[in-house]
Amino acid sequence: MSHHNTAFQQLLKPLSRHEFEGLAKQHHVGQKLRSASRWDQFVGMAMSQLSGRQSLRDIQSNLEAQQHKLYHLGAKPIARTTLARLNENQPAELYEALFHKLLARCKSQPGKHKFRFKNPLYSLDASALDLSIKLFPWAAHRDDAANVKLSVGLNHASDIPEFVALSDGNENDMVEGRKFCFPKGSIVAFDKGYVDYQWFANLTKQRVSFVTRLRAKAVYRVLKRRSINKKAGITSDQVIEFSSAHAIKRGAPKLRRIGYRDAETHRHYQFLTNNFTLSAATIAAIYKDRWKVELFFKAIKQNLKIKAFVGTSKNAVLTQIWIALVVYLLVAFARYSAKEGWTVQRMLRVLQLNLFERKARVEIFNPSPPLKQKDQPQMKLVL
């Protein structure tokens, strides 16, 4: 294989360098960069995401060690002081824009969720990225806590976060969640933290189905009782109407309440949906499948650098997070070269060990089995 085809270089192929430079010009402040470019910054930070580098000095040393391989990426090693300055001063919006450019390419890749219905399926959730209040006072939302909130709408067919927003830790999950424009005909699963009657009405008007949990103190009346399948764990299936003054004022639509008892845990759940077509058992299974978005958060927190930061300003933190999300998309894009059933989390772990290996991507994710040694004929002892 050609000497410059490292796994890292192949991973970056979906990125258009021409588009990157165009975005870099749009998102630039101050004088012209001389000692290093935004591309050098991106390559250095992306490498650190995949190789687990802990500090700016660590990043610089690793880049210098791989200098001849960086040449073929059109990049060069970057001094830690220069990298710190770029992370501090140059807009993180470049990498947010790059994320959405790459996302448009990833959406074209084939994918299929586990259910029979053809509707796109999403899970909506938010996770706090904890920060030290002493080092990151700008992120404080209590006297003793600081964080940045990452909101995600994850596509179950591709495991790709098609909707992403970063916000202050003290902001309610609903603020960013309501901004996501899910496609007509899609189904979205979310927990009780997103219960909002007006938003339910808007989703219904947009022909977007949702599945969530019914709050314990919700006030409603039953309009109709539907037949149930007790063998599937369904205890009730009703058409309901919220009757509180708050719900009426917010325009709450008529919804479907489903009671479900889990056969393994024996816990009882009450689900709420505006979908009157799918079976009650399928609605319960959709909500259960929202664990995928929790696995997404687990994967990026365990395998990418979004818990320890190499800069303390808000711009430096957002730069690191957006680059981590770009890297996640690149790995998700590469998943189509891997064996069926491989998760993005598993691929991230493999890439950490093979980042600068001169192997084809297919060989990295689908290694050939070792050749079996043929039995050697036994030597005869001649007397």
Side-chain angles (χ1 to χ4, degrees):
M1 174 175 289
S2 178
H3 67 283
H4 60 267
N5 287 334
T6 62
F8 189 35
Q9 183 183 13
Q10 294 170 71
L11 189 70
L12 297 182
K13 277 187 177 180
L15 290 177
S16 165
R17 181 70 184 275
H18 176 73
E19 285 184 352
F20 182 94
E21 297 301 339
L23 292 173
K25 288 181 180 179
Q26 293 176 31
H27 302 282
H28 176 80
V29 295
Q31 298 180 345
K32 183 178 180 181
L33 301 178
R34 296 182 179 179
S35 57
S37 67
R38 297 303 295 276
W39 181 249
D40 295 330
Q41 177 196 23
F42 171 71
V43 170
M45 292 294 289
M47 180 279 300
S48 71
Q49 287 288 342
L50 289 163
S51 58
R53 301 298 152 185
Q54 302 294 327
S55 65
L56 291 169
R57 186 183 297 275
D58 198 13
I59 294 172
Q60 178 181 336
S61 299
N62 190 251
L63 290 172
E64 289 172 347
Q66 304 295 343
Q67 183 169 353
H68 63 293
K69 295 174 182 175
L70 293 177
Y71 173 80
H72 297 285
L73 287 168
K76 60 183 182 297
I78 182 170
R80 64 182 185 277
T81 53
T82 303
L83 183 56
R85 187 168 61 251
L86 289 176
N87 291 347
E88 181 88 14
N89 300 323
Q90 289 303 316
E93 286 79 7
L94 163 61
Y95 300 111
E96 180 179 0
L98 182 65
F99 173 86
H100 288 102
K101 283 281 187 182
L102 184 59
L103 178 62
R105 288 195 177 89
C106 289
K107 283 182 179 180
S108 65
Q109 296 298 313
K112 185 179 180 181
H113 54 64
K114 62 187 257 186
F115 297 94
R116 291 183 180 179
F117 57 79
K118 303 297 182 181
N119 311 62
L121 177 60
Y122 297 89
S123 279
L124 171 64
D125 205 354
S127 182
L129 308 178
D130 294 327
L131 302 170
S132 165
I133 196 167
K134 292 183 179 180
L135 296 176
F136 307 89
W138 53 266
H141 69 94
R142 292 202 310 266
D143 292 340
D144 60 346
N147 59 47
V148 173
K149 185 170 290 184
L150 174 61
S151 298
V152 164
L154 187 79
N155 189 319
H156 284 221
S158 59
D159 288 338
I160 287 175
E162 288 191 12
F163 302 92
V164 175
L166 289 169
S167 59
D168 295 335
N170 60 356
E171 187 176 80
N172 188 282
D173 294 355
M174 280 299 309
V175 175
E176 296 301 330
R178 280 182 296 205
K179 294 178 183 177
F180 295 157
C181 295
F182 295 101
K184 178 181 175 181
S186 61
I187 301 173
V188 187
F190 45 81
D191 63 22
K192 289 184 286 188
Y194 289 90
V195 170
D196 182 297
Y197 297 134
Q198 186 175 357
W199 187 48
F200 289 175
N202 291 338
L203 288 174
T204 303
K205 289 177 182 177
Q206 296 162 12
R207 297 186 183 179
V208 174
S209 296
F210 64 84
V211 178
T212 187
R213 298 266 302 280
L214 180 69
R215 284 182 171 172
K217 296 183 179 181
V219 180
Y220 63 91
R221 57 173 170 263
V222 178
L223 302 179
K224 181 182 178 181
R225 288 179 170 81
R226 297 156 60 110
S227 59
I228 61 173
N229 181 1
K230 293 183 178 180
K231 292 181 179 179
I234 306 302
T235 59
S236 61
D237 189 352
Q238 305 165 342
V239 178
I240 67 169
E241 183 177 63
F242 289 100
S243 52
S244 68
H246 173 74
I248 294 172
K249 183 179 178 180
R250 305 283 285 180
K254 294 178 182 177
L255 297 174
R256 186 178 173 195
R257 173 195 166 276
I258 294 169
Y260 170 77
R261 188 173 300 282
D262 188 279
E264 295 180 1
T265 64
H266 302 293
R267 289 185 60 187
H268 190 264
Y269 299 90
Q270 295 185 76
F271 299 116
L272 198 63
T273 182
N274 60 347
N275 188 302
F276 293 86
T277 305
L278 295 175
S279 72
T282 299
I283 296 296
I286 287 172
Y287 189 84
K288 188 175 182 179
D289 205 45
R290 63 175 291 279
W291 61 269
K292 277 200 168 190
V293 72
E294 297 174 10
L295 288 181
F296 164 79
F297 286 125
K298 182 179 179 181
I300 62 173
K301 288 181 178 181
Q302 289 186 348
N303 298 282
L304 296 174
K305 302 300 293 181
I306 60 170
K307 294 178 73 176
F309 293 88
V310 296
T312 57
S313 71
K314 183 175 182 179
N315 191 75
V317 169
L318 295 182
T319 292
Q320 189 166 329
I321 295 172
W322 279 115
I323 290 178
L325 292 170
V326 169
V327 169
Y328 182 92
L329 282 188
L330 288 168
V331 177
F333 196 90
R335 191 175 61 161
Y336 299 100
S337 300
K339 292 180 179 179
E340 186 176 351
W342 274 50
T343 63
V344 175
Q345 184 174 12
R346 184 178 179 186
M347 292 181 66
L348 282 166
R349 290 171 179 168
V350 171
L351 278 168
Q352 287 176 355
L353 301 174
N354 294 274
L355 196 57
F356 288 103
E357 289 293 324
R358 297 164 181 166
K359 296 179 181 178
R361 194 166 64 188
V362 174
E363 185 180 350
I364 292 173
F365 297 127
N366 297 283
S368 301
L371 294 175
K372 292 183 178 180
Q373 295 289 335
K374 293 184 178 180
D375 293 335
Q376 297 293 330
Q378 292 184 352
M379 297 182 64
K380 294 182 178 179
L381 180 61
V382 179
L383 297 177

